[in-house]
Every structure is written in structure tokens, then in C-alpha cells.
Amino acid sequence: MTYIRKSVHELRLGMYVAELDRSWLESPFLFQGFVLEREEDIRTLTDLCRYVHVDPERSTIPITESNSRPAPSAGTKAFTTNPSNTSGPKDTQALLHATAEVKDKRIQTHDYLLNLFDDIRLGHTVDSEEVKERVKGVVETITRFPNVAIWLTQMKNRDEYTSLHCLNVCVLTVAFCHHLGYSQSDLETIAIGALLHDIGKAKIPDAVLNKPGALSDDEWRVMKQHPEIGHQLMAKSGGIPDVALHIILGHHRRITGAGYPDKFPSRELDTPILASAIADVYDAMTSDRPYHRGLAADRVLRDMQKSAKQTFGSDLMDAFIRCVGIFPVGSAVELGNGFIGMVISPGRKAKLLPQVVLFRDAKGIPLAQQQLVDLSLAAAKDPGGNWHIHRVVEPALHQISQRELTLGNVNP
């Protein structure tokens, strides 16, 4: 495989930008490598760079063989070191801008979901065209800022679990399928199913849905009806793609045939169904519920990986872990120097050295200004282990507030 060098004035929509002529940290792009799908991104690259390297295999348009060079070997990425331990103002401003945009889209989409659940409880049908229009904006935001979108799935409220869970599963599924290489149009279809995967719960009695304890056998039989109820509701509305309907119906099925509902139209589960199922379990296990406290993300991933051969498939589960990171985006972590922060982007150079926002010092005292740090840069300058992740910590056990976990006071 080779990358082809292109002047920024040669860039066209459909090209896959694999490398810049500078560090990705010097750009406003929060993920490394993407397909040019907006003129705005071309204008940004034109202002920022003189040339970029394009991957012809991942581009959606033909790329001419000029000024080509070998691509980095598997497992490596081009990287330019920065003499500072911390990211500069441009990086932090880009993060703050992305965070504000993703938060705004989350609020809009969550409000829509709350109204949608209320409408269904009142017996109204779902406007499929409105659903399709809504997910376009959601997918566009997630694919532009996948790491930020994943990180903000940590914004959870036990009292609004069902609606926020639907939103988080949509974010995680779209980000994962984007990572797997699905097209924008496919992602929009997948997003419909993921966003509405639990829509059938609108018809489940509150006494069952929000019971603060184990369900009885009869209650569990009622709960297990929600995929079929949701499938029927959305099929009745008309205009919902089959892939989305299959996600709604099949997100509790497993590759061995286990799960529910028992009657499923296919013995083989398509990747979007399994991707949404992974996202469903991951978000549920990391969330606080009336009957259990959410587990740390890294522990959940380890447990899911152990059972993957019987649930989602080992290869797909491994791909999900690569997507969210060995130290998952949103994890609270303690460094070797005792500082506590939160992972906001997987490692650009080394999987074990992600980008973090520090918000507690070594004594556990909140920092006056949170600080964005790229651990790979910090560790290169100080290799003694101070800037390596020592362990993942549970926010509740360290009295870490929601404000700290959502960039409440980051240093610009």
C-alpha cells in the first residue's frame, strides 16, 4: 500500500487524508485520518498545510499515482513530537469547540427522544422522515468528532436511563461502524436502528422498566418483549430501512443463537446488529442503575472480551476495543505521578499513552485549571513512568464530579 502526496489545492471530496505535513496535534482535527466529505474541511486544510498524504485504498474516488510513497507499516503512524508536555492553545481550543458542538447535538437529540417516547406512550405513530432527518445531523457530528462523542456518553443520569442509553448506544454504534469503514449513508441507516433500539420500552410498564431490583419471571417475560414491540412500532410507521428494523429486533441476540426474541428471521447476525449489541451492553454495564453501580469501562471491556466467542465474536469485540481505546475514552485514570485525569482520545502514537485532561493533583486537590496533556509527548520528555497510566479509577470512589468529567474548567 502507498500513500500519495497531494498539494492542498489538489484536494477533492472523497479523498482519504491519511497524514498531514505536520503533527495532527497542530490541527483542529481530533482524529487521525478521515475521508473529505465537507468543503469546510478542505478549506481548513488549505489554510493549515501545504500538502497532505492521501490513501487511495480508503478514498471513495480514484486517486492518480503521482508523488507516491510507502505507507507506514501496520501498527505505526506518522508522528511529530512537540517539545512541551502539554498540548498547545490551538489543540485545547479545538477540543473546547468540538465539545460545545457535540454537547449541543446531544441535548437536541435527547430532547427529541424524550418527546418521542412520550408520543409513543400516548399511542402516536413515529414520523419516520423526521427520524431520518434527525440522524443525519447526529451522524455528521459523530463522524467529525468521534472521540468527543464517545467521551460524552459518560454524561449519564440514572433517572433518565432509557432515553440517554438510546442516545449513547447510537453514538457508540455509529462511532464504531465509522471506525469499521461504513459509508455516511450506511451510518445514517444504522443510526436509526441504534437510536431507536429500545423504543419498545415505551410500552413496558414503569413498574417493570424501572424496578429497583431483580425482575420476577413474569416481569422478565414482559421486559423481553421490547425488541418485538419496537420492531412492530417502527415497521408500522413505514419508511424505516430493513437494517434499522433488524437492529431494533436483534440487539439482544448473540452469535450462538442465545438471547431474545426466540424467533429471529436469520441465523446469522449482520455486523450492524452486533455492533449495536456491543454498544448496548457496554453502555448498560458502565451506567448506574437503581439496582447496581456502573462498572469501570476497562473492566467491562475485559469481561466482554472474555465472553466474546459466545456473544459478539472475538474479532468484532477486539475491533470495538481498538475503537474506544485500551483505556476507553471517558475513563478516569491515575498517572504514575499521582495526578488524576480523564481519557479524551486514544493514543496517537502509543495505545497505552492517550490524551488526557488532568483535573486533580497528586494530593487529590482539584486543579484551578484543567490541563490537556498528550501522554506520549509527556512520556517522551520524561520517560521515568510519571506520565504513564498507573490505573483506572472509579469516579464515585474518588468523589469525582460530573463537572470534572465534562471539562468544567479546562485551561484554554
Side-chain angles (χ1 to χ4, degrees):
M1 182 179 68
T2 59
Y3 289 167
I4 298 174
R5 174 170 159 165
K6 291 287 184 182
S7 161
V8 289
H9 301 293
E10 299 178 88
L11 294 178
R12 300 291 183 270
L13 296 180
M15 290 182 174
Y16 186 96
V17 178
E19 291 181 6
L20 309 180
D21 61 0
R22 65 202 61 232
S23 166
W24 284 92
L25 288 174
E26 297 176 35
S27 80
F29 303 109
L30 294 183
F31 54 102
Q32 188 166 324
F34 60 94
V35 175
L36 288 172
E37 295 176 331
R38 305 183 313 143
E39 293 288 350
E40 179 182 342
D41 289 335
I42 293 179
R43 288 194 293 270
T44 300
L45 288 170
T46 301
D47 292 339
L48 180 70
C49 305
R50 291 186 298 110
Y51 63 86
V52 300
H53 288 103
V54 172
D55 184 345
E57 293 186 9
R58 301 183 69 178
S59 296
T60 59
I61 62 172
I63 308 296
T64 58
E65 294 286 344
S66 61
N67 298 322
S68 63
R69 69 167 187 78
S73 59
T76 66
K77 290 183 178 179
F79 187 83
T80 304
T81 58
N82 186 308
S84 172
N85 282 356
T86 59
S87 299
K90 186 182 295 185
D91 303 303
T92 309
Q93 290 292 352
L95 176 61
L96 292 173
H97 170 76
T99 302
E101 186 170 332
V102 176
K103 279 185 178 179
D104 185 59
K105 183 59 67 176
R106 277 187 65 88
I107 292 169
Q108 294 175 25
T109 308
H110 185 230
D111 287 345
Y112 168 72
L113 277 173
L114 290 173
N115 291 330
L116 186 63
F117 270 82
D118 286 342
D119 286 346
I120 290 174
R121 291 188 185 100
L122 294 172
H124 300 159
T125 58
V126 176
D127 184 340
S128 59
E129 293 306 313
E130 184 178 6
V131 173
K132 292 176 183 177
E133 194 59 35
R134 289 278 180 175
V135 300
K136 285 183 180 179
V138 172
V139 169
E140 196 271 341
T141 301
I142 295 170
T143 54
R144 286 179 62 207
F145 309 116
N147 294 327
V148 175
I150 292 172
W151 155 45
L152 290 182
T153 61
Q154 301 302 307
M155 298 175 64
K156 301 176 182 183
N157 183 332
R158 190 172 67 181
D159 296 331
E160 293 181 326
Y161 171 77
T162 300
S163 54
L164 282 174
H165 174 65
C166 286
L167 177 56
N168 289 341
V169 169
C170 179
V171 169
L172 290 165
T173 304
V174 171
F176 183 27
C177 289
H178 176 62
H179 173 81
L180 294 175
Y182 280 80
S183 69
Q184 199 81 359
S185 60
D186 286 341
L187 291 177
E188 290 173 5
T189 299
I190 292 167
I192 294 172
L195 187 67
L196 303 180
H197 78 283
D198 270 350
I199 199 69
K201 288 184 177 179
K203 293 293 188 179
I204 301 297
D206 283 343
V208 174
L209 187 63
N210 298 312
K211 183 178 179 179
L215 299 178
S216 68
D217 290 344
D218 287 340
E219 289 168 336
W220 182 235
R221 278 191 286 272
V222 171
M223 178 65 83
K224 290 198 296 184
Q225 294 173 8
H226 79 267
E228 292 175 284
I229 293 172
H231 181 269
Q232 292 167 5
L233 284 170
M234 298 314 301
K236 182 180 178 181
S237 71
I240 300 297
D242 287 344
V243 171
L245 292 174
H246 290 162
I247 290 173
I248 294 169
L249 183 62
H251 66 276
H252 283 292
R253 296 290 291 174
R254 302 295 181 255
I255 58 174
T256 56
Y260 58 90
D262 295 331
K263 295 180 180 179
F264 195 75
S266 173
R267 294 182 62 185
E268 293 187 4
L269 300 177
D270 293 333
T271 297
I273 298 175
L274 290 170
S276 66
I278 290 173
D280 178 49
V281 171
Y282 178 74
D283 186 70
M285 294 292 288
T286 55
S287 298
D288 287 338
R289 302 297 306 279
Y291 48 87
H292 79 79
R293 174 179 288 174
L295 301 175
D298 66 315
R299 175 181 169 183
V300 171
L301 289 179
R302 285 197 302 270
D303 290 346
M304 292 176 71
Q305 190 178 40
K306 288 178 183 178
S307 61
K309 289 183 178 179
Q310 290 75 44
T311 55
F312 314 113
S314 297
D315 289 345
L316 195 64
M317 192 63 227
D318 288 346
F320 182 75
I321 293 172
R322 288 193 294 272
C323 174
V324 298
I326 295 174
F327 295 110
V329 172
S331 298
V333 294
E334 180 183 335
L335 304 184
N337 57 18
F339 279 67
I340 291 177
M342 181 188 61
V343 178
I344 57 95
S345 179
R348 295 172 182 266
K349 184 179 181 181
K351 297 292 185 183
L352 298 178
L353 296 170
Q355 282 190 308
V356 301
V357 171
L358 300 179
F359 49 74
R360 297 277 184 92
D361 66 17
K363 297 181 180 180
I365 300 173
L367 299 175
Q369 293 287 336
Q370 297 170 351
Q371 182 65 59
L372 175 62
V373 179
D374 187 318
L375 294 185
S376 64
L377 301 181
K381 187 174 181 179
D382 178 11
N386 288 329
W387 296 100
H388 286 72
I389 291 177
H390 174 60
R391 60 173 177 156
V392 176
V393 300
E394 294 191 30
L397 298 180
H398 288 73
Q399 290 77 50
I400 296 172
S401 68
Q402 184 83 341
R403 176 178 171 81
E404 289 175 299
L405 289 173
T406 53
L407 287 186
N409 195 29
V410 70
N411 184 6

